[in-house]
């Protein structure tokens, strides 16, 4: 897979998922820190851990990974589940 995207599912905490959502929304680490009322250094650490867990190299690759695995919804992309074929 291009961009170093992980091909296996990854377990992320609720806080990590929240931070991924804010990264996908285009917020900087400082803006994320202000929104979550935590320090920028804490955000930096979370993002570093998330990049390691997801085996992604940067924020763009992280957002691509999050879209691939249905972890974020951007402008109605990945926002709804497909109907069950048996129903």
């Amino acid at each position: 897979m291009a961009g170093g995207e992980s091909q296996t599912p990854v377990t992320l905490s609720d806080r990590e998922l929240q931070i991924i959502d804010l990264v996908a929304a285009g917020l900087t680490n400082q803006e994320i820190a202000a929104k979550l009322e935590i320090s920028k250094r804490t955000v930096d650490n979370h993002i570093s851990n998330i990049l390691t867990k997801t085996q992604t190299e940067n924020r763009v690759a992280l957002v691509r990974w999050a879209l691939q695995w249905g972890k974020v919804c951007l402008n109605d992309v990945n926002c709804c589940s497909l109907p069950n074929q048996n129903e």
Side-chain angles (χ1 to χ4, degrees), residues 30-73:
Q30 187 64 48
E31 292 167 332
I32 293 169
K35 185 168 186 77
L36 299 179
E37 298 179 347
I38 59 178
S39 75
K40 179 186 172 292
R41 184 173 179 133
T42 299
V43 174
D44 294 342
N45 288 336
H46 277 303
I47 291 180
S48 178
N49 292 338
I50 293 165
L51 292 175
T52 299
K53 284 183 177 183
T54 59
Q55 300 176 14
T56 52
E57 297 176 7
N58 55 51
R59 294 165 80 93
V60 172
L62 175 60
V63 172
R64 287 176 45 99
W65 176 91
L67 285 168
Q68 174 189 2
W69 289 101
K71 304 294 184 186
V72 295
C73 173

Side-chain angles (χ1 to χ4, degrees), residues 1-36:
M1 176 95 13
E5 295 164 6
S6 174
Q7 302 234 357
T8 57
V10 173
T11 302
L12 298 168
S13 70
D14 289 340
R15 178 61 97 187
E16 289 170 332
L17 292 171
Q18 188 178 30
I19 288 176
I20 290 172
D21 192 47
L22 295 172
V23 168
L27 274 65
T28 65
N29 288 10
Q30 187 64 48
E31 292 167 332
I32 293 169
K35 185 168 186 77
L36 299 179

